[in-house]
Amino acid sequence: MEYAKLGNTDIEVSKLCVGCMSFGKPGTLHDWTQDEAGTEEIVKHALDLGINFFDTANGYSDGTSEEYLGNTFRKNVSRDKVVIASKVYFNPGRLSSEAIHREIGRRSVFSEINS
C-alpha cells in the first residue's frame, strides 16, 4: 500500500480510502447497505491490505455507518492506526459549532475508541 502525508501533518494515510456509505443498518438509506457483520468483513479486509483511511458521515444509514465502523475498529485495530474522515451536515443546525459538537458526541462509539 502506498501512503501520503495528510496536509502539513505527520499523519500518514493510505492513498486508497474506503468510502463507508454502504455500511449501516439496511433500509435506513439503501436496501443494499452492509449490516454490521458485512461491514466488519470488508473493513478487516481493507486493514489487511494496509488501508488505514476511512470516510463516513452522520447521514449514512442514520448514523449506523459510523457506529458499525467504530465497533469494527474497537475489535480489530488500535485507534491510532486508522484515520477517520466524517462529515456532518444533515442535522439540525447544519454546520454551526453547536451542531458539529453535538454530532461528534452523538455516537459514543467514536468517543470510546478514542480512549
Side-chain angles (χ1 to χ4, degrees), residues 6-110:
L6 185 61
N8 294 325
T9 72
D10 289 331
I11 300 170
E12 289 199 346
V13 296
S14 53
K15 288 190 174 183
L16 293 177
C17 177
V18 175
C20 301
M21 182 190 232
S22 62
F23 301 160
K25 184 178 178 185
T28 54
L29 182 63
H30 309 287
D31 290 335
W32 45 262
T33 305
Q34 293 292 313
D35 62 12
E36 194 157 6
T39 297
E40 184 170 3
E41 182 179 338
I42 292 167
V43 170
K44 284 172 60 175
H45 185 69
L47 293 169
D48 288 344
L49 293 173
I51 297 171
N52 72 341
F53 189 22
F54 297 82
D55 176 67
T56 187
N58 68 322
Y60 294 169
S61 297
D62 194 29
T64 58
S65 172
E66 291 178 335
E67 181 180 344
Y68 293 1
L69 190 63
N71 290 341
T72 296
F73 286 156
R74 188 180 311 111
K75 290 193 270 182
N76 294 283
V77 67
S78 173
R79 174 60 184 94
D80 64 340
K81 302 296 183 200
V82 293
V83 177
I84 305 163
S86 190
K87 300 163 291 293
V88 296
Y89 182 73
F90 296 103
N91 61 70
R94 306 268 194 245
L95 295 177
S96 68
S97 177
E98 179 184 334
I100 291 169
H101 284 91
R102 182 181 58 247
E103 289 300 315
I104 290 169
R106 181 173 171 236
R107 297 284 180 186
S108 61
V109 174
F110 278 151

